[in-house]
Amino acid sequence: MVTLKEDTRKSIAELTLMDDIFMNKVFDNDIGRTALLLRIILKNDKIKVIKATTQQKLKNLLGHDLQLDILAQNENGTLFNVEIQNQSSGAAARRARYHLSLLDSLSLPKGKTYKQLPDNYVVFITQNDVLKGGLPLYHINRKIEENDKAFADGSHIIYVNNKIKDETP
């Protein structure tokens, strides 16, 4: 039987999903929990996750590699990268763009057409309100400036503000 010191027990009791070590344990290879998280954030009960891993490394032969907190895939090939960020600097807009670009590069095998590139999502769950708008969720999608219409290229960046404590899921 394993016995834990009191300070170790206290440290474990204080862990939240914003703690990397706990988040990894909760979501690694757990399709159900990962699907629940994505369904809540995207407000879509139909999301069916078929694969979920934590700390997935994405190699880039020509540039910076990435270590993803959570990488999930649904039945349509859509990739979801969820990043837990306790420091605002870790959730920079250009970092989200870079994550999305590497997801896209993985999503279109050689010989496939651009029409076959699935929608991909990068979700930053942040400890603080990084975008400073006082909102619980921020959906960032591209648009055509001249007519304010959506540029439906399938790229999605979402920021979840963990500072908001209300009745929303």
Side-chain angles (χ1 to χ4, degrees), residues 103-166:
L103 288 183
D104 283 346
S105 72
L106 291 174
S107 299
L108 192 63
K110 197 172 190 169
K112 300 291 182 180
T113 67
Y114 293 113
K115 284 184 178 183
Q116 293 172 292
L117 180 67
D119 284 21
N120 284 325
Y121 292 80
V122 171
V123 178
F124 279 104
I125 301 175
T126 62
Q127 186 66 39
N128 299 305
D129 188 1
V130 173
L131 300 181
K132 301 186 184 331
L135 300 172
L137 289 169
Y138 299 90
H139 292 81
I140 294 104
N141 296 299
R142 296 179 191 186
K143 70 174 184 166
I144 302 167
E145 295 290 329
E146 289 74 16
N147 61 15
D148 206 35
K149 294 195 181 208
F151 184 70
D153 66 348
S155 63
H156 306 277
I157 297 172
I158 300 169
Y159 282 75
V160 180
N161 176 8
N162 192 48
K163 244 339 180 211
I164 300 285
K165 306 292 184 203
D166 60 15

Coordinates of all heavy atoms in Angstrom, one line a residue, residues 103-166:
L103 N -1.2 22.3 -37.7 CA -2.3 21.4 -37.8 C -2.7 21.2 -39.3 O -3.0 20.1 -39.7 CB -3.5 21.9 -37.0 CG -3.4 21.8 -35.5 CD1 -4.7 22.3 -34.9 CD2 -3.1 20.4 -35.0
D104 N -2.8 22.3 -40.0 CA -3.2 22.2 -41.4 C -2.2 21.4 -42.2 O -2.6 20.6 -43.0 CB -3.3 23.7 -42.0 CG -4.6 24.4 -41.6 OD1 -5.5 23.7 -41.1 OD2 -4.7 25.6 -41.8
S105 N -1.0 21.6 -41.9 CA 0.0 20.8 -42.7 C -0.1 19.3 -42.5 O 0.3 18.6 -43.3 CB 1.5 21.3 -42.3 OG 1.8 20.9 -41.0
L106 N -0.6 18.9 -41.3 CA -0.8 17.5 -41.1 C -2.1 17.0 -41.7 O -2.3 15.7 -41.7 CB -0.9 17.3 -39.5 CG 0.4 17.5 -38.7 CD1 0.0 17.3 -37.2 CD2 1.4 16.5 -39.1
S107 N -3.0 17.9 -42.0 CA -4.3 17.4 -42.4 C -4.6 17.2 -43.9 O -5.7 16.8 -44.3 CB -5.3 18.5 -41.9 OG -5.3 18.7 -40.5
L108 N -3.6 17.5 -44.7 CA -3.8 17.3 -46.1 C -2.7 16.4 -46.7 O -1.6 16.9 -47.1 CB -3.8 18.7 -46.8 CG -4.3 18.7 -48.3 CD1 -5.8 18.2 -48.4 CD2 -4.1 20.0 -48.9
P109 N -3.0 15.1 -46.8 CA -2.0 14.2 -47.3 C -1.7 14.5 -48.8 O -2.5 15.0 -49.5 CB -2.6 12.8 -47.2 CG -3.7 13.0 -46.2 CD -4.2 14.4 -46.3
K110 N -0.5 14.1 -49.2 CA -0.1 14.3 -50.6 C -1.1 13.6 -51.5 O -1.6 12.5 -51.2 CB 1.3 13.7 -50.8 CG 2.0 14.1 -52.0 CD 3.4 13.6 -52.0 CE 4.2 14.2 -53.1 NZ 5.6 14.0 -53.0
G111 N -1.5 14.3 -52.6 CA -2.4 13.7 -53.6 C -3.9 14.1 -53.3 O -4.7 13.9 -54.1
K112 N -4.1 14.7 -52.2 CA -5.5 15.2 -51.9 C -5.7 16.6 -52.4 O -4.7 17.4 -52.5 CB -5.8 15.1 -50.3 CG -5.6 13.8 -49.7 CD -6.7 12.8 -50.2 CE -6.6 11.5 -49.5 NZ -7.6 10.6 -49.9
T113 N -7.0 17.0 -52.6 CA -7.3 18.3 -53.1 C -7.5 19.3 -51.9 O -7.8 18.8 -50.8 CB -8.5 18.4 -53.9 OG1 -9.6 18.0 -53.1 CG2 -8.4 17.4 -55.1
Y114 N -7.4 20.6 -52.1 CA -7.6 21.5 -51.0 C -9.0 21.5 -50.5 O -9.2 21.8 -49.3 CB -7.2 23.0 -51.5 CG -5.8 23.1 -51.8 CD1 -5.3 23.3 -53.1 CD2 -4.8 23.1 -50.8 CE1 -4.0 23.4 -53.4 CE2 -3.5 23.2 -51.1 CZ -3.0 23.4 -52.4 OH -1.7 23.5 -52.6
K115 N -9.9 21.1 -51.3 CA -11.3 20.9 -50.8 C -11.4 19.9 -49.7 O -12.3 19.9 -48.9 CB -12.2 20.5 -51.9 CG -12.6 21.7 -52.9 CD -13.6 21.2 -53.9 CE -14.0 22.4 -54.8 NZ -15.0 22.0 -55.7
Q116 N -10.4 19.0 -49.7 CA -10.4 17.9 -48.7 C -9.7 18.3 -47.3 O -9.7 17.5 -46.4 CB -9.8 16.6 -49.2 CG -10.6 16.0 -50.4 CD -9.8 14.9 -51.1 OE1 -8.8 15.2 -51.8 NE2 -10.3 13.7 -51.0
L117 N -9.2 19.5 -47.3 CA -8.6 20.0 -46.0 C -9.8 20.2 -45.0 O -10.7 21.0 -45.3 CB -7.9 21.3 -46.3 CG -7.2 21.9 -45.1 CD1 -6.0 21.1 -44.6 CD2 -6.7 23.3 -45.5
P118 N -9.7 19.5 -43.9 CA -10.8 19.7 -42.9 C -10.7 21.0 -42.2 O -9.7 21.7 -42.1 CB -10.7 18.5 -42.0 CG -9.2 18.2 -42.0 CD -8.8 18.6 -43.4
D119 N -11.8 21.4 -41.5 CA -11.7 22.5 -40.6 C -10.8 22.1 -39.5 O -10.8 20.9 -39.1 CB -13.1 22.8 -40.0 CG -14.0 23.5 -40.9 OD1 -13.8 23.5 -42.1 OD2 -15.0 24.1 -40.4
N120 N -10.0 23.0 -38.9 CA -9.1 22.7 -37.8 C -9.3 23.8 -36.7 O -9.6 24.9 -37.1 CB -7.7 22.6 -38.2 CG -7.4 21.3 -38.9 OD1 -8.0 20.2 -38.6 ND2 -6.5 21.3 -39.9
Y121 N -9.1 23.4 -35.5 CA -9.3 24.3 -34.3 C -8.1 24.4 -33.4 O -7.5 23.3 -33.1 CB -10.5 23.8 -33.5 CG -11.9 23.9 -34.2 CD1 -12.2 22.9 -35.1 CD2 -12.7 24.9 -33.9 CE1 -13.5 23.0 -35.8 CE2 -14.0 25.0 -34.5 CZ -14.3 24.0 -35.4 OH -15.6 24.1 -36.1
V122 N -7.8 25.6 -33.0 CA -6.9 25.8 -31.9 C -7.6 26.5 -30.8 O -8.3 27.5 -31.0 CB -5.7 26.6 -32.4 CG1 -4.8 27.0 -31.2 CG2 -4.8 25.9 -33.4
V123 N -7.6 25.9 -29.6 CA -8.3 26.4 -28.5 C -7.3 26.7 -27.4 O -6.6 25.9 -26.9 CB -9.4 25.4 -27.9 CG1 -10.1 26.0 -26.7 CG2 -10.3 25.1 -29.0
F124 N -7.2 28.0 -26.9 CA -6.4 28.4 -25.8 C -7.3 28.6 -24.6 O -8.2 29.4 -24.7 CB -5.6 29.7 -26.1 CG -4.4 29.5 -26.9 CD1 -4.4 29.8 -28.2 CD2 -3.3 29.0 -26.3 CE1 -3.2 29.7 -29.0 CE2 -2.1 28.8 -27.0 CZ -2.1 29.1 -28.4
I125 N -7.1 27.8 -23.6 CA -7.8 28.0 -22.3 C -6.9 28.8 -21.4 O -5.8 28.3 -21.1 CB -8.3 26.7 -21.6 CG1 -9.2 25.9 -22.6 CG2 -8.9 27.0 -20.3 CD1 -9.6 24.5 -22.1
T126 N -7.2 30.0 -21.1 CA -6.3 30.9 -20.5 C -6.7 31.2 -19.0 O -7.9 31.3 -18.7 CB -6.1 32.2 -21.2 OG1 -7.4 32.9 -21.3 CG2 -5.6 32.0 -22.7
Q127 N -5.7 31.3 -18.2 CA -5.9 31.7 -16.8 C -6.5 33.1 -16.6 O -7.4 33.3 -15.8 CB -4.6 31.6 -16.0 CG -4.8 31.7 -14.5 CD -5.6 30.6 -13.8 OE1 -5.4 29.5 -14.2 NE2 -6.4 31.0 -12.9
N128 N -6.1 34.0 -17.5 CA -6.6 35.4 -17.4 C -7.2 35.7 -18.8 O -7.2 35.0 -19.7 CB -5.4 36.3 -17.2 CG -4.7 36.0 -15.9 OD1 -5.3 36.0 -14.8 ND2 -3.4 35.7 -15.9
D129 N -7.9 36.9 -18.8 CA -8.6 37.4 -19.9 C -7.6 38.0 -20.9 O -7.4 39.2 -20.9 CB -9.6 38.4 -19.5 CG -10.5 38.8 -20.7 OD1 -10.4 38.3 -21.8 OD2 -11.4 39.7 -20.4
V130 N -6.9 37.1 -21.7 CA -5.8 37.6 -22.5 C -6.3 38.6 -23.5 O -5.5 39.6 -23.8 CB -5.2 36.3 -23.3 CG1 -4.2 36.7 -24.3 CG2 -4.6 35.4 -22.3
L131 N -7.5 38.5 -24.1 CA -8.0 39.4 -25.1 C -8.7 40.7 -24.5 O -9.1 41.6 -25.2 CB -8.9 38.7 -26.1 CG -8.2 37.6 -26.8 CD1 -9.1 36.9 -27.8 CD2 -6.9 38.1 -27.5
K132 N -8.8 40.7 -23.2 CA -9.3 41.8 -22.4 C -10.6 42.4 -22.8 O -10.8 43.6 -22.8 CB -8.2 42.9 -22.4 CG -6.9 42.4 -21.8 CD -5.9 43.5 -21.7 CE -4.5 43.1 -21.2 NZ -4.3 42.0 -20.4
G133 N -11.6 41.5 -23.1 CA -12.9 41.9 -23.5 C -14.0 41.6 -22.5 O -15.1 41.9 -22.7
G134 N -13.6 40.9 -21.4 CA -14.6 40.5 -20.4 C -15.5 39.4 -20.8 O -16.5 39.2 -20.2
L135 N -15.2 38.7 -21.9 CA -16.0 37.6 -22.4 C -15.5 36.2 -21.9 O -14.3 36.1 -21.8 CB -16.1 37.6 -23.9 CG -16.6 38.9 -24.6 CD1 -16.4 38.9 -26.1 CD2 -18.0 39.1 -24.2
P136 N -16.4 35.3 -21.8 CA -16.0 33.9 -21.4 C -15.3 33.2 -22.6 O -14.4 32.4 -22.5 CB -17.2 33.2 -21.0 CG -18.3 34.0 -21.6 CD -17.9 35.4 -21.8
L137 N -15.8 33.5 -23.8 CA -15.3 32.8 -25.1 C -15.1 33.9 -26.1 O -15.8 34.8 -26.3 CB -16.3 31.8 -25.6 CG -16.5 30.6 -24.8 CD1 -17.7 29.8 -25.4 CD2 -15.3 29.7 -24.9
Y138 N -14.0 33.7 -26.9 CA -13.7 34.5 -28.1 C -13.5 33.6 -29.3 O -12.6 32.7 -29.2 CB -12.4 35.3 -27.9 CG -12.4 36.3 -26.7 CD1 -12.0 35.8 -25.4 CD2 -12.9 37.6 -26.9 CE1 -12.0 36.7 -24.4 CE2 -12.8 38.5 -25.8 CZ -12.4 38.0 -24.5 OH -12.4 38.9 -23.5
H139 N -14.3 33.7 -30.3 CA -14.2 32.9 -31.5 C -13.6 33.8 -32.6 O -14.1 34.8 -33.0 CB -15.6 32.4 -32.0 CG -16.2 31.4 -31.1 ND1 -16.9 31.8 -30.0 CD2 -16.2 30.1 -31.2 CE1 -17.3 30.7 -29.4 NE2 -16.9 29.6 -30.1
I140 N -12.4 33.4 -33.0 CA -11.7 34.2 -34.0 C -11.7 33.5 -35.3 O -11.3 32.3 -35.5 CB -10.2 34.4 -33.6 CG1 -10.1 35.3 -32.4 CG2 -9.4 35.1 -34.7 CD1 -9.8 34.6 -31.1
N141 N -12.4 34.1 -36.3 CA -12.5 33.6 -37.6 C -12.2 34.6 -38.6 O -12.4 35.8 -38.4 CB -13.9 33.0 -37.9 CG -14.3 31.9 -37.0 OD1 -13.6 30.8 -37.0 ND2 -15.3 32.0 -36.1
R142 N -11.7 34.3 -39.8 CA -11.3 35.2 -40.8 C -12.5 35.8 -41.5 O -13.5 35.2 -41.6 CB -10.4 34.6 -41.8 CG -9.1 34.2 -41.2 CD -8.2 33.5 -42.2 NE -7.1 32.9 -41.4 CZ -6.1 32.3 -42.0 NH1 -6.0 32.3 -43.3 NH2 -5.1 31.7 -41.3
K143 N -12.3 37.1 -41.9 CA -13.4 37.7 -42.7 C -12.8 38.6 -43.8 O -11.6 39.0 -43.7 CB -14.3 38.6 -41.8 CG -13.6 39.8 -41.2 CD -14.6 40.6 -40.5 CE -13.9 41.9 -40.0 NZ -14.7 42.9 -39.6
I144 N -13.6 38.9 -44.8 CA -13.2 39.8 -45.9 C -13.5 41.2 -45.4 O -14.6 41.6 -45.0 CB -14.0 39.5 -47.2 CG1 -13.8 38.0 -47.6 CG2 -13.7 40.5 -48.3 CD1 -14.8 37.6 -48.6
E145 N -12.5 42.0 -45.3 CA -12.6 43.4 -44.7 C -13.5 44.3 -45.5 O -14.3 45.0 -44.9 CB -11.2 44.0 -44.7 CG -10.2 43.4 -43.7 CD -10.6 43.6 -42.3 OE1 -11.2 44.6 -41.9 OE2 -10.2 42.7 -41.5
E146 N -13.5 44.2 -46.8 CA -14.3 45.1 -47.6 C -15.8 44.9 -47.5 O -16.6 45.9 -47.7 CB -13.9 45.0 -49.1 CG -12.5 45.6 -49.4 CD -11.4 44.7 -48.9 OE1 -11.6 43.5 -48.6 OE2 -10.2 45.3 -48.8
N147 N -16.2 43.7 -47.3 CA -17.7 43.5 -47.2 C -18.1 42.8 -45.9 O -19.3 42.5 -45.7 CB -18.2 42.7 -48.4 CG -17.6 41.3 -48.5 OD1 -17.0 40.8 -47.5 ND2 -17.7 40.7 -49.6
D148 N -17.2 42.6 -45.0 CA -17.4 42.1 -43.7 C -18.1 40.7 -43.7 O -18.8 40.2 -42.8 CB -18.3 43.0 -42.8 CG -18.1 42.8 -41.3 OD1 -17.0 42.5 -40.9 OD2 -19.1 42.9 -40.6
K149 N -17.8 39.9 -44.8 CA -18.3 38.6 -44.9 C -17.3 37.6 -44.5 O -16.1 37.8 -44.6 CB -18.8 38.3 -46.4 CG -19.9 39.2 -46.8 CD -20.5 38.6 -48.0 CE -21.7 39.6 -48.4 NZ -22.7 39.0 -49.1
A150 N -17.8 36.4 -44.1 CA -16.9 35.4 -43.6 C -16.0 34.9 -44.8 O -16.5 34.7 -45.9 CB -17.7 34.2 -43.0
F151 N -14.8 34.6 -44.4 CA -13.9 33.9 -45.4 C -13.7 32.5 -44.9 O -12.9 32.2 -44.1 CB -12.5 34.7 -45.4 CG -11.5 34.1 -46.4 CD1 -11.7 34.3 -47.7 CD2 -10.4 33.4 -45.9 CE1 -10.8 33.8 -48.7 CE2 -9.5 32.9 -46.9 CZ -9.7 33.1 -48.2
A152 N -14.6 31.7 -45.3 CA -14.8 30.3 -44.7 C -13.7 29.4 -45.2 O -13.9 28.5 -46.0 CB -16.2 29.8 -45.1
D153 N -12.5 29.6 -44.6 CA -11.4 28.7 -45.0 C -11.2 27.5 -44.0 O -10.3 26.7 -44.2 CB -10.1 29.5 -45.0 CG -9.7 30.1 -43.7 OD1 -10.4 30.0 -42.7 OD2 -8.5 30.5 -43.6
G154 N -12.1 27.4 -43.0 CA -12.1 26.3 -42.1 C -11.1 26.4 -41.0 O -10.9 25.5 -40.2
S155 N -10.5 27.6 -40.8 CA -9.6 27.8 -39.7 C -10.3 28.5 -38.5 O -11.1 29.4 -38.8 CB -8.4 28.6 -40.1 OG -8.8 29.9 -40.5
H156 N -10.1 27.9 -37.3 CA -10.8 28.4 -36.2 C -9.9 28.6 -35.0 O -9.2 27.6 -34.7 CB -12.0 27.5 -35.8 CG -12.9 27.2 -36.9 ND1 -13.9 28.0 -37.2 CD2 -12.9 26.2 -37.8 CE1 -14.6 27.5 -38.3 NE2 -14.0 26.4 -38.6
I157 N -9.9 29.7 -34.4 CA -9.1 29.9 -33.1 C -10.1 30.4 -32.1 O -10.9 31.3 -32.3 CB -8.0 31.0 -33.3 CG1 -7.0 30.5 -34.4 CG2 -7.3 31.3 -32.0 CD1 -6.0 31.5 -34.8
I158 N -10.0 29.8 -30.9 CA -10.9 30.1 -29.8 C -10.1 30.3 -28.5 O -9.2 29.5 -28.2 CB -12.0 28.9 -29.6 CG1 -12.8 28.7 -30.9 CG2 -12.9 29.2 -28.4 CD1 -13.6 27.5 -30.8
Y159 N -10.5 31.4 -27.9 CA -9.9 31.6 -26.5 C -11.0 31.5 -25.5 O -12.1 32.0 -25.6 CB -9.3 33.1 -26.5 CG -8.0 33.2 -27.1 CD1 -7.9 33.3 -28.5 CD2 -6.8 33.4 -26.4 CE1 -6.7 33.5 -29.2 CE2 -5.6 33.5 -27.0 CZ -5.5 33.6 -28.4 OH -4.3 33.7 -29.0
V160 N -10.7 30.7 -24.5 CA -11.6 30.5 -23.3 C -11.0 31.2 -22.1 O -9.8 30.9 -21.7 CB -11.7 29.0 -23.0 CG1 -12.7 28.8 -21.8 CG2 -12.2 28.2 -24.2
N161 N -11.7 32.1 -21.6 CA -11.3 33.0 -20.5 C -11.6 32.3 -19.1 O -12.8 32.3 -18.7 CB -11.9 34.3 -20.6 CG -11.6 35.2 -19.4 OD1 -10.8 34.9 -18.6 ND2 -12.3 36.4 -19.4
N162 N -10.7 31.7 -18.5 CA -10.9 31.0 -17.2 C -11.2 31.9 -16.1 O -11.6 31.5 -15.0 CB -9.7 30.1 -16.9 CG -10.0 29.1 -15.8 OD1 -11.1 28.4 -15.8 ND2 -9.1 29.0 -14.8
K163 N -11.0 33.2 -16.2 CA -11.3 34.2 -15.2 C -12.8 34.3 -14.9 O -13.2 34.7 -13.8 CB -10.7 35.5 -15.6 CG -9.6 36.3 -14.9 CD -9.3 35.9 -13.5 CE -8.2 36.8 -13.1 NZ -7.4 36.1 -12.1
I164 N -13.6 34.1 -15.9 CA -15.0 34.3 -15.8 C -15.5 33.1 -15.0 O -15.3 31.9 -15.3 CB -15.7 34.3 -17.2 CG1 -15.2 35.4 -18.1 CG2 -17.2 34.3 -17.0 CD1 -15.7 36.8 -17.7
K165 N -16.2 33.4 -13.9 CA -16.8 32.4 -13.0 C -18.3 32.7 -13.0 O -18.8 33.5 -12.2 CB -16.2 32.5 -11.6 CG -14.7 32.3 -11.6 CD -14.2 31.0 -12.0 CE -12.7 30.9 -11.8 NZ -12.1 29.9 -12.6
D166 N -19.0 32.1 -13.8 CA -20.5 32.2 -13.8 C -21.2 30.9 -14.0 O -20.6 29.9 -13.8 CB -20.9 33.3 -14.9 CG -20.5 32.8 -16.3 OD1 -20.2 31.6 -16.5 OD2 -20.5 33.7 -17.2

